């Protein structure tokens, strides 16, 4: 690594996030190579290999994290990867998943990465946010449930359901702003989405596009919490993390009672599975559901405070018989 990773010595595990954009000649072979190397380490992860790059969210015991990063950085092609690491005290992914994907991020469209936006280091990003001399628009390229937990001041959330709609958004943005005199700043969790979206914006004729290098994770570690409100949503068992050691106010609110809260749950109705913020009282009152319709739906998981989002129901109970006895309405497959 180019930079020292600052992690408390007490952390037994490291969550390591990275991506690589560039041609992977043989994704299946690369996935196999990753599997072989990781089979010797204590790791849980989601690692995706595609013809246009790699995307990894991984959790290792501390010593194995270093082994993995050294191995990757020692390979010529991957020597400039920027790893982002945070300390935790246990594994945060359910298992070690390594998959070949058709596209690194499902956009359903070809993107010319050579056109991507200018990187801003966390310090430069902060300075740009504080510079009032220029018209600017700040775009959050994440999902709405990520936004609800925390985001940059004055940012706008992409008003679309899927990232495939981004090209439409880009066209609308071009018409809405004075693209000669406005700057577009964009950010996401770890930086990968902005690589794609900044390129799309430029393809649509918006020239002055900047992206936060390393995403919000990097900003928190390098520049602190200034201009950020709330916490950061992450796609692992932690779900919500502070972006730095500086205290921040909670901005997330319970879907049912609007109390300030940062706890996410998947709706217990398996045919809904919507991720929503909920307080403890409302969770119990609504039996883990996002709405009364969901509460009376046919395939509802038995209610439990211990439910961890992103896990399938069958990970929670030893036997399927047990599930049926807990919830007589359960008729579906798991
Ligand atoms: Zn509530
Ligand atoms: Zn629901």
């Amino acid at each position: 690594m180019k930079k020292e990773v600052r992690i408390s010595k007490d952390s037994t595990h490291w969550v390591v996030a990275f991506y690589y954009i560039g041609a992977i000649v043989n994704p299946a072979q690369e996935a196999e190579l990753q599997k072989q190397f990781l089979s010797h380490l204590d790791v849980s992860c989601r690692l995706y290999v595609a013809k246009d790059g790699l995307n990894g969210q991984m959790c290792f015991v501390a010593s194995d994290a270093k082994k993995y990063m050294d191995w990757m950085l020692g390979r010529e092609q991957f020597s400039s990867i920027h790893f982002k690491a945070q300390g935790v005290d246990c594994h945060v992914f359910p298992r070690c998943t390594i998959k070949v994907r058709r596209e690194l991020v499902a956009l359903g469209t070809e993107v010319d990465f050579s056109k991507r936006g200018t990187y801003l280091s966390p310090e430069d990003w902060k300075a740009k946010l504080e510079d009032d001399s220029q018209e600017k628009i700040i775009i959050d390229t994440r999902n709405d449930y990520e936004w609800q937990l925390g985001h940059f001041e004055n940012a706008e959330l992409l008003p679309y359901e899927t990232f495939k709609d981004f090209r439409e958004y880009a066209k609308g943005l071009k018409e809405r702003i004075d693209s000669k005199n406005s700057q577009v700043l964009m950010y996401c969790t770890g930086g990968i989405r902005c690589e794609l979206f900044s390129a799309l914006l430029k393809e649509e004729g918006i020239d002055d596009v900047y992206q936060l290098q390393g995403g919000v994770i990097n900003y928190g570690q390098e520049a602190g919490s200034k201009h950020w409100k709330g916490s950061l949503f992450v796609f692992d068992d932690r779900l919500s993390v502070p972006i730095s050691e500086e205290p921040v106010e909670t901005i997330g609110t319970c879907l049912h009672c609007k109390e300030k809260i940062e706890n996410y749950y998947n709706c217990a109705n398996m045919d809904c599975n919507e991720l929503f913020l909920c307080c403890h009282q409302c969770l119990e009152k609504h039996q883990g559901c996002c709405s009364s319709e969901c509460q009376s739906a046919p395939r509802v998981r038995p209610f439990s405070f211990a439910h961890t989002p992103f896990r399938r129901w069958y990970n929670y109970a030893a036997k399927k018989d047990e599930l049926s006895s807990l919830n007589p309405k359960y008729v579906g497959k798991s």
Side-chain angles (χ1 to χ4, degrees):
M1 302 199 58
K2 289 181 193 136
K3 242 177 348 198
E4 221 23 62
V5 177
R6 290 188 305 255
I7 290 185
S8 150
K9 287 201 168 48
D10 302 332
S11 299
T12 57
H13 291 65
W14 288 17
V15 177
V16 173
F18 77 95
Y19 64 85
Y20 168 77
I21 290 181
I24 302 292
V25 179
N26 187 336
Q29 194 179 21
E30 178 59 33
E32 197 46 48
L33 203 58
Q34 294 283 339
K35 266 180 204 162
Q36 274 170 21
F37 190 83
L38 292 171
S39 69
H40 302 291
L41 305 182
D42 186 345
V43 58
S44 63
C45 67
R46 289 195 197 96
L47 176 62
Y48 298 112
V49 184
K51 63 181 188 319
D52 51 357
L54 302 178
N55 187 11
Q57 316 290 324
M58 316 177 82
C59 182
F60 298 91
V61 296
S63 56
D64 284 354
K66 291 181 198 129
K67 279 184 206 162
Y68 181 75
M69 292 189 285
D70 286 344
W71 175 62
M72 286 295 279
L73 294 171
R75 297 171 65 192
E76 177 75 38
Q77 184 177 15
F78 303 128
S79 59
S80 60
I81 285 178
H82 176 203
F83 286 99
K84 297 164 288 273
Q86 295 167 310
V88 288
D89 57 11
C90 62
H91 276 294
V92 298
F93 298 100
R95 60 185 73 80
C96 182
T97 304
I98 302 162
K99 281 192 177 145
V100 174
R101 278 195 166 169
R102 221 162 51 82
E103 300 172 292
L104 200 52
V105 173
L107 281 178
T109 177
E110 290 287 316
V111 177
D112 178 2
F113 287 117
S114 65
K115 287 205 181 104
R116 62 187 147 185
T118 310
Y119 288 131
L120 287 179
S121 69
E123 287 298 339
D124 289 346
W125 173 269
K126 188 162 85 176
K128 217 170 234 328
L129 293 182
E130 290 169 358
D131 173 14
D132 290 330
S133 68
Q134 185 101 32
E135 282 283 306
K136 59 180 166 288
I137 184 157
I138 306 158
I139 302 175
D140 187 319
T141 63
R142 303 171 305 152
N143 298 297
D144 57 354
Y145 54 82
E146 299 174 80
W147 161 275
Q148 282 164 19
L149 194 65
H151 50 253
F152 276 107
E153 291 163 2
N154 304 318
E156 71 175 55
L157 176 65
L158 288 182
Y160 288 101
E161 294 273 304
T162 72
F163 292 130
K164 289 181 182 173
D165 298 327
F166 192 75
R167 202 178 280 279
E168 282 305 305
Y169 172 81
K171 288 191 170 81
L173 187 65
K174 175 102 187 340
E175 284 174 14
R176 179 154 58 101
I177 63 170
D178 171 4
S179 63
K180 288 278 166 287
N181 296 305
S182 297
Q183 298 183 329
V184 176
L185 278 61
M186 61 166 71
Y187 69 91
C188 61
T189 310
I192 188 167
R193 275 172 275 187
C194 292
E195 298 279 4
L196 300 146
F197 294 161
S198 63
L200 273 181
L201 280 193
K202 294 188 89 170
E203 276 180 20
E204 291 300 328
I206 299 173
D207 299 323
D208 225 357
V209 181
Y210 299 87
Q211 51 179 326
L212 173 55
Q213 188 166 25
V216 182
I217 299 176
N218 195 32
Y219 182 83
Q221 289 182 341
E222 299 291 319
S225 298
K226 198 156 181 222
H227 308 300
W228 177 265
K229 293 162 76 184
S231 297
L232 177 66
F233 186 95
V234 289
F235 290 87
D236 60 54
D237 286 351
R238 297 169 300 162
L239 282 175
S240 159
V241 295
I243 74 162
S244 75
E245 281 157 12
E246 298 163 23
V248 285
E249 57 160 342
T250 298
I251 67 162
T253 57
C254 172
L255 174 73
H256 297 293
C257 75
K258 311 298 173 209
E259 185 195 328
K260 290 251 189 274
I261 200 82
E262 295 199 328
N263 298 329
Y264 270 104
Y265 300 92
N266 282 108
C267 178
N269 171 14
M270 295 196 294
D271 298 313
C272 169
N273 213 40
E274 178 88 358
L275 205 53
F276 66 104
L277 285 161
C278 195
C279 75
H280 239 62
Q281 288 89 328
C282 292
L283 192 70
E284 189 166 20
K285 189 170 154 204
H286 298 272
Q287 292 292 293
C289 290
C290 77
S291 66
S292 49
E293 291 78 50
C294 283
Q295 224 176 311
S296 54
R299 300 204 309 145
V300 179
R301 274 188 291 262
F303 170 68
S304 159
F305 280 121
H307 172 58
T308 311
F310 307 127
R311 299 285 176 88
R312 291 190 201 278
W313 183 12
Y314 52 70
N315 291 330
Y316 290 92
K319 298 186 199 80
K320 285 185 190 152
D321 301 352
E322 195 184 329
L323 295 176
S324 306
S325 68
L326 280 167
N327 181 0
K329 280 190 295 191
Y330 172 65
V331 290
K333 52 191 187 299
S334 64

